[in-house]
């Protein structure tokens, strides 16, 4: 399924997915040992602020409900919403114990009652406090750092993180920014963040040989603005922020097999409008439409799909008589080759970066408690790598990281990496 890329002159390193995993393993173990420095005061202050907000939301929820109940109890929540308040249950998922009150399902009811918004915010903030703000300080070791544990056991070939899971730290929004402030650089060091820009869209553009998307990436235009222009029928320079946001959702939604219903819920629009967006997208991106169709057929015929370097995922779900399970299998068939290949490219970059970093000399006069002032990889989150480097080497190390990551694989469109550095993770992301 990838042979046509070699015919297009794509330079694919002669290495298997298994060998990539073997070579990246010592890099991951070194990152675990390095850990990342934490400012516990930042976490403590954020926890205090969120607990005040949670308390206010609790009162707001009780007022909207007309009674007190256990907000954290799914059964009591369902009893209140669907029996007392009689909110509609059409299109809501069902569990063994009844109607689901999970956040994606409650989001469908936002316009039905004023209680939904505060409940969703309450849950989000409570999860942040219980998952990160309370546990993280307790996981800081004597060196002032948190040492996560990495694995490579996911079904897509991506890396995992546990104890704590740093992959699930919120990426967007003010709260995500606040948490990132707590991840800091040691004295006279900086954190460098290097993030692949839209790598999955670039991979699918090559895999699908979608001419419109290929031209967009080759010319360096903003892919989401271009998609918005196509969907909404407006010039690219007239695209609004809302239209670009909607187009971004469509770009990634199509990639992950999102249905018109899922898109309508994500964008807060009716289902017919969502289907129109998808139809317009496929009318323009005929290569992507062909890819989606072909991958479904291939997975159904072979029972598996593969990444660029040969990682294979079996998809038995496609044979299920349960339509939800079968649909999930279709989504896996579409996105696994893309997600898995993105993970392989990141791992290849990590392997090469580790070699380059180890060639650099250690800076003299290390800060107290530090093993030495030299660059080192310390964290990976999805398509992003975070490194430490001496302040005086920040520019040269940033440049080296960008060059290595962009050169890890030569696809039919250029890979782009956004790099920044600062005294904490938030500064390094801007």
């Amino acid at each position: 399924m990838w042979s046509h890329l070699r015919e297009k002159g794509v330079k694919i390193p002669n290495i298997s997915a298994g060998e990539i995993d073997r070579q990246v393993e010592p890099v991951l173990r070194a990152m675990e040992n390095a850990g990342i420095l934490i400012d516990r005061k930042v976490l403590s202050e954020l926890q205090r602020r969120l607990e005040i907000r949670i308390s206010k939301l609790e009162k707001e929820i009780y007022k909207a409900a007309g009674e007190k109940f256990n907000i954290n109890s799914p059964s009591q929540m369902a009893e209140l919403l669907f029996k007392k308040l009689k909110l509609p249950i059409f299109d809501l998922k069902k569990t063994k114990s009844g109607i689901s009150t999970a956040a994606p399902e409650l989001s469908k009811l936002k316009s039905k009652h004023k209680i939904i918004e505060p409940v969703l915010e309450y849950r989000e903030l409570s999860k942040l406090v219980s998952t990160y703000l309370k546990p993280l300080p307790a996981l800081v070791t004597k060196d002032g750092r948190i040492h996560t544990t990495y694995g490579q056991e996911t079904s897509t070939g991506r890396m995992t993180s546990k104890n704590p899971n740093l992959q699930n730290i919120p990426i967007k929004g003010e709260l995500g920014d606040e948490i990132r402030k707590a991840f800091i650089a040691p004295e006279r060091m900086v954190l460098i963040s290097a993030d692949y820009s839209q790598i999955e869209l670039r991979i699918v553009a090559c895999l699908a040989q979608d001419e419109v998307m290929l031209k967009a990436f080759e010319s360096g235009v903003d892919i989401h603005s271009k998609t918005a222009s196509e969907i909404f029928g407006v010039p690219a320079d007239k695209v609004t922020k809302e239209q670009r946001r909607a187009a971004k959702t469509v770009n990634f939604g199509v990639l992950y097999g999102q249905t018109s219903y899922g898109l309508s819920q994500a964008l807060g629009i009716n289902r017919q409008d969502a289907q129109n967006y998808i139809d317009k997208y496929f009318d323009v991106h005929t290569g992507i439409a062909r890819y989606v169709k072909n991958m479904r057929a291939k997975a159904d015929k072979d029972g598996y799909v593969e990444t660029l370097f040969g990682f294979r995922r079996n998809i038995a779900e496609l044979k299920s008589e349960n339509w939800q399970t079968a649909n999930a299998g279709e989504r896996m068939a579409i996105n696994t080759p893309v997600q898995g290949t993105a993970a392989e490219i990141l791992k290849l970059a990590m392997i090469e970066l580790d070699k380059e970093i180890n060639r650099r000399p250690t800076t003299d006069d290390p800060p107290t408690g530090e093993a030495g002032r030299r660059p080192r990889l310390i964290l990976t989150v999805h398509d992003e790598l975070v490194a430490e480097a001496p302040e005086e080497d920040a520019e040269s190390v940033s440049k080296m990281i960008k060059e290595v990551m962009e050169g890890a694989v030569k696809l039919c469109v250029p890979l782009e990496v956004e790099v920044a550095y600062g005294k904490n993770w938030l500064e390094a992301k801007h």
Side-chain angles (χ1 to χ4, degrees):
M1 61 177 281
W2 296 91
S3 58
H4 68 282
L5 293 185
R6 290 184 172 87
E7 295 170 5
K8 295 287 182 178
V10 174
K11 296 180 180 178
I12 304 172
N14 186 25
I15 186 171
S16 68
E19 182 61 17
I20 292 173
D21 286 350
R22 188 190 70 79
Q23 291 190 26
V24 84
E25 191 69 18
V27 183
L28 293 173
R29 301 292 81 85
M31 291 168 65
E32 291 175 356
N33 291 333
I36 187 165
L37 198 61
I38 295 293
D39 187 334
R40 281 183 272 201
K41 290 181 180 178
V42 172
L43 293 178
S44 177
E45 172 58 20
L46 181 56
Q47 180 181 336
R48 183 191 68 80
R49 285 166 41 205
L50 292 191
E51 286 176 342
I52 291 173
R53 176 60 181 160
I54 289 169
S55 179
K56 291 180 179 178
L57 286 168
E58 193 175 63
K59 294 174 183 176
E60 187 178 337
I61 291 166
Y62 292 153
K63 183 178 180 180
E67 64 181 60
K68 286 189 176 183
F69 67 103
N70 184 352
I71 303 171
N72 298 309
S73 166
S75 61
Q76 290 189 34
M77 179 65 70
E79 176 80 19
L80 174 82
L81 296 179
F82 307 125
K83 292 189 177 179
K84 181 184 176 183
L85 299 180
K86 301 187 184 305
L87 297 187
I89 62 173
F90 177 72
D91 269 345
L92 299 186
K93 290 183 180 178
K94 295 179 176 62
T95 66
K96 291 181 180 179
S97 57
I99 305 300
S100 172
T101 59
E105 303 310 305
L106 292 191
S107 294
K108 300 172 185 177
L109 301 172
K110 281 183 180 181
S111 62
K112 304 300 181 183
H113 200 282
K114 63 183 179 181
I115 198 174
I116 301 299
E117 289 278 8
V119 165
L120 290 172
E121 186 181 353
Y122 173 94
R123 285 186 172 180
E124 179 189 10
L125 300 187
S126 297
K127 184 177 180 180
L128 283 176
V129 170
S130 63
T131 305
Y132 295 108
L133 302 182
K134 282 185 178 179
L136 284 181
L139 293 172
V140 175
T141 55
K142 291 181 180 179
D143 60 4
R145 292 173 173 264
I146 280 178
H147 301 264
T148 188
T149 300
Y150 292 106
Q152 302 187 72
E153 64 271 27
T154 65
S155 55
T156 61
R158 282 192 157 196
M159 290 167 283
T160 60
S161 165
K162 61 182 180 179
N163 301 323
N165 181 0
L166 299 180
Q167 302 273 9
N168 280 347
I169 288 178
I171 296 174
K172 301 174 183 177
E174 182 180 345
L175 292 176
D177 288 349
E178 291 288 338
I179 292 176
R180 277 179 164 77
K181 282 183 184 177
F183 292 76
I184 60 175
E187 180 185 350
R188 289 181 291 152
M189 303 279 281
V190 294
L191 295 185
I192 301 173
S193 167
D195 200 351
Y196 277 115
S197 174
Q198 301 163 344
I199 186 171
E200 293 180 3
L201 293 178
R202 294 170 191 272
I203 290 169
V204 79
C206 288
L207 182 55
Q209 284 298 290
D210 187 90
E211 292 299 329
V212 174
M213 194 173 279
L214 288 173
K215 288 178 181 178
F217 282 125
E218 287 166 358
S219 60
V221 304
D222 180 79
I223 191 68
H224 300 312
S225 293
K226 180 170 178 54
T227 299
S229 176
E230 296 160 357
I231 290 175
F232 297 106
V234 298
D237 59 352
K238 300 296 183 182
V239 169
T240 65
K241 288 182 179 180
E242 291 74 20
Q243 288 172 332
R244 185 185 183 278
R245 180 183 66 82
K248 183 176 181 179
T249 303
V250 174
N251 273 327
F252 287 107
V254 167
L255 184 58
Y256 298 120
Q258 192 173 46
T259 63
S260 60
Y261 177 74
L263 183 61
S264 70
Q265 294 301 310
L267 295 179
I269 59 178
N270 66 58
R271 195 165 180 173
Q272 186 56 56
D273 285 343
Q275 186 61 54
N276 290 340
Y277 289 173
I278 293 173
D279 291 343
K280 287 181 181 178
Y281 183 90
F282 282 138
D283 285 344
V284 174
H285 296 277
T286 55
I288 302 296
R290 185 170 56 249
Y291 166 78
V292 169
K293 180 180 178 180
N294 290 346
M295 289 311 301
R296 285 171 175 160
K298 177 176 172 54
D300 190 52
K301 174 177 174 290
D302 298 337
Y304 66 86
V305 291
E306 284 184 318
T307 63
L308 178 59
F309 293 92
F311 174 86
R312 183 174 292 185
R313 182 178 186 177
N314 295 319
I315 307 180
E317 290 84 351
L318 284 170
K319 303 297 183 183
S320 175
E321 293 182 0
N322 181 293
W323 70 270
Q324 289 181 320
T325 303
N327 283 347
E330 287 190 1
R331 291 193 295 273
M332 293 175 199
I334 296 165
N335 68 47
T336 294
V338 180
Q339 272 195 338
T341 299
E344 291 166 344
I345 292 173
L346 182 69
K347 291 176 187 178
L348 284 170
M350 291 169 66
I351 294 165
E352 189 57 36
L353 279 171
D354 186 64
K355 295 175 183 176
E356 288 293 327
I357 285 171
N358 286 328
R359 294 189 186 108
R360 301 176 76 94
T362 302
T363 304
D364 292 334
D365 188 26
T368 303
E370 291 296 318
R373 293 179 66 234
R374 65 177 302 156
R376 57 179 177 177
L377 295 174
I378 61 171
L379 184 65
T380 177
V381 179
H382 303 308
D383 302 323
E384 177 185 7
L385 291 175
V386 179
E388 283 178 351
E391 288 178 330
E392 61 271 27
D393 295 336
E395 287 288 348
S396 63
V397 174
S398 295
K399 182 180 178 182
M400 179 269 290
I401 291 175
K402 180 177 174 68
E403 289 176 351
V404 169
M405 290 178 68
E406 290 182 344
V409 174
K410 295 293 185 183
L411 294 176
C412 50
V413 295
L415 291 176
E416 289 189 7
V417 175
E418 297 173 350
V419 182
Y421 58 86
K423 291 301 294 180
N424 60 55
W425 194 6
L426 176 60
E427 288 183 8
K429 285 291 290 180
H430 288 72

